Every structure is written in C-alpha cells, then in structure tokens.
Amino acid sequence: MHGSLQLVLILLAAAVLVVAAARALRLPTMLGYLVTGIAIGPFALGWIPDSEEERYLAEFGVVFLMFSIGLEFSLSRLMTMRMTVFGFGGAQVVLTIACAALIAWLLDLPPLAAAALGGIMSMSSTAIVSKLLAERLEIQTPHGRQIFGALLFQDLAVVPLLILIPAFAKDADDMGMVLGLAVLKAVAVLGFLLFVGQRVMRPWFQWVAGRKSPELFTLNLLLFTLGLAFLTERAGLSLALGAFLAGMLISETEYRYQVEDDIKPFRDVLLGLFFVTIGMRLDPAQVMLNWDKVLLLVTAIIIGKGLLVAGLATAFGSTRSNAVRTALGLAQAGEFGFVLLAQAADLKLLGADITQPVLAAMVVSMLIAPLLINRMDTLTRLLAGSEWAGRAKEVHDIAVKTFGKSQHVIVCGYGRSGQKLARLLEAEGIGFVALDADLERIRAVAASGVSVVYGDASRREVLVAAGLSRAQAVVVTYSDVHSSMAILRHVRELRPELPVVVRTIDDTHIDALKAAGAAEVVSEVMEGSLMLASHALMLVGVPLSRVLKRVRDVRETRYAMMRGFFHGASDADAELDQQAQPRLHTMLVTPGAAAVGRSLEELALDELLVDVVVIRREGGKGVEPRSDTRIESGDVLVLRGAADGLAAAEFRVLRG
C-alpha cells in the first residue's frame, strides 16, 4: 500500500525527468507525461494504483486548462476570425464527428457511443501545434491562421460535448428528455452565471486588488475558479465548464494578464498529473493484442482526418499547398480528446475493447505530429507538386519583371503604407519593386503601370527574384512581425550589409526586430503620439518652430538614423551640397580587413568626421559602438558622414 507522500514523490521525480527529457528532445512535455503514466501505471511497473481519488485530483488539471481557454475567449477576436473559426473550424468539427460516427456505427458501435467517439476524434492538439508553429514563425501565415481558427472552434466545441456525452450515457428511451433537460440546465446555469457574474465579479476583484496583496489575489483567483467549477458540477454539468466560464468572465477585465501568470503554475502541474493518469489507463498488453485496430485508427486519424481537412481548406479558398499544410497541422488527436475519452469511459459509454485501441492510437498520432509539422515543407512539395510548379512560375514572373533593375528599393507590401512610400520614391526618381500577396490588389493596379508583382516577401526565393542582390534597401510596410522576422533572416543570410526598415504597431517587438538585423523600426504608436503632441502643443500656444524642434529631437533620439540619410538617385539634385550633406552608408567588414581586431578609438574615424551609428554582428546581435569596441570579421558597420569622409573611412577600415 503506497502512502500519499510516496505517491507524490514518485510523481514529482517522474515529472522532473520527463520535463528535462522533453526539453532535450524538443518535444511537448505532454507526450512525456503520457509515456510516464504508461510506465508507472497499474498495467506496467505498477508504482501508482489507478484510483478514483487520483483521477478526481487529476481532473483539476483539465479545470485549469479550460480556465486558460476561457481567458483566451474574446468576442472581438472571434468576430475578426469569424469566417475561419465558425466557417472552416465549425465545418471541420461537424464533418469529422459525422464521418467518424458513421464509420463507427457501420462497425456495430451503438449510435450514441459512435457520436461520442466522433467528438473525441474531432479534436487536435493545441499544445503541440501552437508550440511547433510558433517555433517555425508560421502562426500568422495563411495556413497558420486556418489551423488556429480550427483549434479555437475545437476548444469551444468541448463545452457542449462535455454536456452531451453524459446525456448519451443515459437510457436511450429517455434520450430526448435527457438532452432537452441538459440543454435547459446549461442555458439556465450559463445565463445566471454570466448575468450575475458580470455584475459581481468585477467590483469584487477590484476590492481584492485594492488590498495590494499578491497572496490574497491568488487565493481569491483559486476560490473564484474552483467555486464556479463546483457550482456547475452540482448543477449536473462538469467542473471544466465552470472553469471555462470563470476564465471567460475574467478575460473581459483588466486583470486578465495578471491572472494568466498567477494560474500558470497550478495549470501546468495539475495538467501534467492529468496526462499521467491518462497514460496509466493504457494497457500495453491490450494494445499488443489489438495492434491491427490501433494501426487502423492511427491511419484514420492521420490520413482520413488529413484528407478531410485538406478538402475543407480547399473549399474555403486555400491554395493546394496551404491546404496540405493545414491538413498536416491538424492530423492528430488532441488533449481535449483525452478529456472526452476519459469521460466516456467513466460513464461506461465506451468499453475497454474500444477505449484501449483509441487511447493508444491517439498517443501515437500525437507522437507523429511533430515529425509531420517539422517536415511540412518537404511533405508539401511531395503532395502539392503542381502548386510548387506554380510557385516556380511565380518566381520566374517576378524575375522577368525586375530584370535590369538595380539600386532599387524592394517594397514588401503594397497596402496603404506601401502605396504612399511608392509615390514618394517615384517623386524622387528612385526605382522600386513592390511585392504583394493580394491578387485582387495586384489586378487593380496592373493597368496603371506601377512596378508591383505578386509574391510572398517572406519567402527567400521571392526576395532573390526581386533583385535582392542589386537592391539598395528593403522596406517592410506591413506590421506582421513573423513575416518581418523571416525577411530579416533571409536578408541577413544573403546580404547582411543591406539596410532593412520595418514597420510595427507599437514598441513591443522593436528590440527583437533590431536584434534580427533591422536598420530601423518605425512604430505607428510613436509616430501617432508625436503628431498628437505636436498639434496639442501648437493649440496651447507653443510656436511652430519650437514644436518642430521638439519633434525632431525626439525622433533623433529614438531614430538614430534620422540624423543622416541613405544615398539615392535624387541626391544629384543641385540644391544639395553633395560633399557636406551627412548621409548613411553601410559596409561589410570582410575577412582580412585592416580594421579586424582594432578598436574604434584606434581607427579614429572621427578625424574624418564620420560616426559609427550601428554595428550589427553575425547572428543579428547588435553591438553598441564605443571607443573600446573592437571590430570583428563579418561585422556590418553603419557609418554617418559626408561623402568624402565616408569614402576615406571605408578605405581606412578595409585597407588601413
């Protein structure tokens, strides 16, 4: 008989080893917890017995997971993605349930049990997919948005499934009454909690926060979450539903992010315990006896579900390659599938002869998921060959249209900002090539003769075809951080000395973009604030000349590079003193250059009236230019000075 302390120590020791191993193998820790549960459970080593008390404790992991999902539930977010979430995501869940239930029914499973199995199979893994897509910088890509739309709807679909599955386990003769009662009960409880909760919860949380005690705030959070979970369970629904409501109520308040940080340790630890208990339910002997069923189910989950998702994605307007990528991202079982499977097994809706093969197939599909996602490019090329041929034609068309251009600016994105930039470049006589992935916009401007071509600027081959090797600058005019990071990575690999200007919404990602190699990052919020401040100062009587000086000082402090300029075709204007006007110049310190190993003080570029504004080192690392900073081979120097001084400085850096 194991003592409670001994059980806790076993679980903690296993958790430490699992998390360390998962980190080393770059796998989600959830898979490690499942394998641990299989190993230490009653069907293998038998270190921990499978008891109702432990299952009930582990269910709190699901409670906090559903609470986290509730925190992410936002009506504004849903409205923005409504077509993807409710259209594509809803169709994916409904059709997966229908197809899986039909097949299960044809294999002699009772209709309600078949429907429950369909709900289990409709889930995909938010934990695995979100982690891998974030690492690949693909969350904001077309297939990434489609995948997350489906995952978001699956999270929402869990709520009615948690209500319906217990109703399925009742007597079939009373099914209509049971389902009707369950729906009425759910509507009544949800309505009461949402109506009363909105009016009571916010002032209560404000009062607790006003006590300025982190311990009190955390205790109140646990009380609120577990209290609502208790109320929904007492109403005959589920603990998880109450936790989801608690998260949804808090998501509309100013405490959302603080709550998310406070709840994370409880969620991760208890969720790990939940997955351990799921693994403990798997009987390896039963799996070996039913290996053919397991293999068939794994094939159904990965290939069957993948084909269904690919077909739906195509129907919703995705290209063939994006449809394949979306299918690869969703072709696995999910953590909420385990929640539903455990519920169906506890209610005897599904017997052990079904539960064991299904559980094994779900675990195997989740183990395969990282392999599919990490090899997404190769698999897409194999499965969508014609699409890749189309991409090759796209790159060819770009290369043809940009042939002969040199010293041009590559404008990534031809939206409102891109079009305004293009007009300024045209007015100054500077050549440019604009890349845009919106076919409708490309068609609209095609007749105007503007140099705009269809292409995704975040792709390496598109930038090369646009003449990256001959360009004098790259400007990213849209505020997609993931795409901007991909562009910066490609430019850093191909032409590290080329300046890249990036647009962003606020200051959140400025440091990351700078570290990735951006010459300058323009913040919409900062520019808007400067315009707001300048108008306000003039309205209260500050002279225009002083306002302009203030704005210029702020910009020069924030945007160091605005104290000079990069040389362009318009600089031949006779009104400019070419020798005296300060400008910016980037240069790459080649191997064997005279400046390698020497400090900026030793180079004495200030004698030439030249400043070193920025030093970008290999790997995107930014180095502050100080007098004792030593130059390394591969450094990119951004210099500011007059034309003659810059020429002399470059000669001194390279030849001494």
Side-chain angles (χ1 to χ4, degrees), residues 598-603 624-630:
R598 300 175 64 186
S599 67
L600 291 179
E601 185 177 16
E602 293 173 34
L603 289 176
E624 183 182 353
R626 297 195 304 254
S627 59
D628 59 345
T629 302
R630 295 194 175 275

Side-chain angles (χ1 to χ4, degrees), residues 630-650:
R630 295 194 175 275
I631 304 299
E632 297 180 4
S633 175
D635 282 353
V636 176
L637 308 182
V638 180
L639 308 177
R640 181 179 62 241
D644 291 344
L646 290 172
E650 185 167 8

Side-chain angles (χ1 to χ4, degrees), residues 510-545:
I510 285 181
D511 291 339
L513 291 166
K514 283 273 198 177
E520 193 54 83
V521 182
V522 178
S523 165
E524 292 181 27
V525 172
M526 175 168 284
E527 288 302 317
S529 300
L530 284 175
M531 290 299 98
L532 185 67
S534 63
H535 285 291
L537 289 172
M538 285 189 290
L539 287 173
V540 297
V542 178
L544 176 61
S545 59

Side-chain angles (χ1 to χ4, degrees), residues 49-64 225-234 237-240 270-271 273-274 277-278 280-281 342 346:
D50 186 14
S51 65
E52 289 297 325
E53 292 78 7
E54 286 160 16
R55 290 187 188 180
Y56 190 77
L57 177 62
E59 193 174 346
F60 284 104
V62 183
V63 166
F64 288 110
T225 305
L226 298 179
L228 282 188
F230 173 77
L231 288 176
T232 53
E233 187 190 36
R234 294 291 292 176
L237 299 172
S238 70
L239 290 170
L270 290 172
L271 193 58
L273 177 58
F274 170 75
T277 60
I278 290 294
M280 289 167 56
R281 293 178 178 228
D346 290 341

